[in-house]
Coordinates of all heavy atoms in Angstrom, one line a residue:
G194 N 25.7 -7.4 29.8 CA 27.0 -6.9 30.0 C 27.2 -5.4 30.1 O 28.3 -4.9 30.2
T195 N 26.1 -4.7 30.0 CA 26.1 -3.3 29.9 C 25.4 -2.6 31.2 O 24.4 -3.2 31.6 CB 25.4 -2.8 28.6 OG1 26.1 -3.3 27.5 CG2 25.3 -1.2 28.6
P196 N 26.0 -1.6 31.8 CA 25.2 -0.8 32.8 C 24.0 -0.2 32.3 O 24.0 0.4 31.1 CB 26.2 0.3 33.2 CG 27.6 -0.2 32.8 CD 27.3 -1.0 31.5
V197 N 22.8 -0.5 32.9 CA 21.6 0.0 32.4 C 20.7 0.7 33.4 O 20.9 0.5 34.6 CB 20.8 -1.2 31.8 CG1 21.5 -1.8 30.6 CG2 20.5 -2.2 32.9
G215 N 21.4 -1.2 37.2 CA 22.3 -2.4 37.4 C 23.0 -2.7 36.1 O 23.2 -1.9 35.3
I216 N 23.4 -4.0 36.1 CA 24.1 -4.5 34.9 C 23.2 -5.6 34.3 O 22.8 -6.5 34.9 CB 25.5 -5.2 35.3 CG1 26.4 -4.2 36.1 CG2 26.2 -5.7 34.1 CD1 26.9 -3.1 35.2
H244 N 21.0 2.5 28.1 CA 22.4 2.0 28.3 C 23.2 3.2 28.9 O 23.2 4.3 28.3 CB 23.1 1.6 27.0 CG 22.5 0.3 26.5 ND1 22.9 -0.4 25.3 CD2 21.5 -0.6 27.0 CE1 22.3 -1.4 25.1 NE2 21.4 -1.6 26.1
L245 N 23.8 3.0 30.0 CA 24.5 4.0 30.7 C 26.0 4.0 30.3 O 26.6 3.0 30.1 CB 24.4 3.8 32.2 CG 23.0 3.7 32.8 CD1 23.1 3.5 34.3 CD2 22.2 5.0 32.5
R246 N 26.5 5.2 30.1 CA 27.9 5.3 29.7 C 28.8 5.0 30.9 O 28.5 5.3 32.0 CB 28.2 6.7 29.2 CG 27.4 7.1 27.9 CD 27.8 8.5 27.5 NE 27.1 8.9 26.3 CZ 27.5 8.6 25.1 NH1 28.6 7.9 24.9 NH2 26.8 9.0 24.0
T247 N 29.9 4.3 30.6 CA 30.9 4.1 31.6 C 32.0 5.0 31.5 O 32.4 5.4 30.4 CB 31.4 2.6 31.5 OG1 31.9 2.4 30.2 CG2 30.3 1.6 31.7
R248 N 32.5 5.4 32.6 CA 33.6 6.4 32.6 C 35.0 5.7 32.6 O 35.1 4.7 33.2 CB 33.5 7.3 33.8 CG 32.2 8.1 33.7 CD 32.1 9.2 34.9 NE 30.9 10.0 34.8 CZ 30.6 10.9 35.6 NH1 31.5 11.3 36.6 NH2 29.5 11.6 35.5

Side-chain angles (χ1 to χ4, degrees):
T195 298
V197 297
I216 305 290
H244 289 181
L245 305 178
R246 295 182 181 275
T247 55
R248 297 185 180 182

